[in-house]
Amino acid sequence: MVVGDDVNGDGHVDIVIVLTDGLRAWLGDSGSFSPAPGSPFAIKGATEVATGDIDGDGIADIAVGPWDGTEVTIITGQTFGVKTVQACERPVGLAVADLDGDGRGELLAACATEDRLVVLDWVNDR
């Protein structure tokens, strides 16, 4: 899975690639790409990725879901800090959207083994 978004706030599109048990972020500039600090990131069973401004700082963050497990890994934009949040068993179909208009995106995850959708306000749920 591959996503393009500006994850370091420089106005250039960056590339985020899901790897087997990890994620690699490539930062774009005027015609070339370089690895983000800390990339590749080790994330056991990584299968899903979504980007969007989860923490409200104006820079896209990265959310990564596992094939097995209950946690979504959040890699913060610009600083590339790594945190996890509890979602549900096998969180897939990730998306980020500002559902309440507060300037921060909520993390949405479909629960593959359940018939439900989880909506996480990461700033309040961390």
Side-chain angles (χ1 to χ4, degrees), residues 33-51:
F33 291 89
S34 60
S39 182
F41 300 92
I43 302 168
K44 186 175 179 356
T47 57
E48 298 282 330
V49 66
T51 57

Side-chain angles (χ1 to χ4, degrees), residues 13-107:
V13 175
D14 307 310
I15 299 172
V16 178
I17 304 165
V18 174
L19 309 168
T20 301
D21 291 332
L23 180 127
R24 186 177 297 273
W26 291 94
L27 305 179
D29 60 21
S30 301
S32 66
F33 291 89
S34 60
S39 182
F41 300 92
I43 302 168
K44 186 175 179 356
T47 57
E48 298 282 330
V49 66
T51 57
D53 185 11
I54 298 171
D55 58 12
D57 67 358
I59 300 168
D61 305 298
I62 304 166
V64 185
W67 178 252
D68 284 317
T70 60
E71 293 182 332
V72 174
T73 300
I74 307 291
I75 301 170
T76 55
Q78 192 172 34
T79 64
F80 301 100
V82 179
K83 303 173 192 280
T84 58
V85 294
Q86 286 293 321
C88 59
E89 185 64 36
R90 197 176 290 161
V92 297
L94 300 179
V96 177
D98 184 3
L99 301 175
D100 58 9
D102 67 355
R104 292 188 315 261
E106 284 72 45
L107 174 62

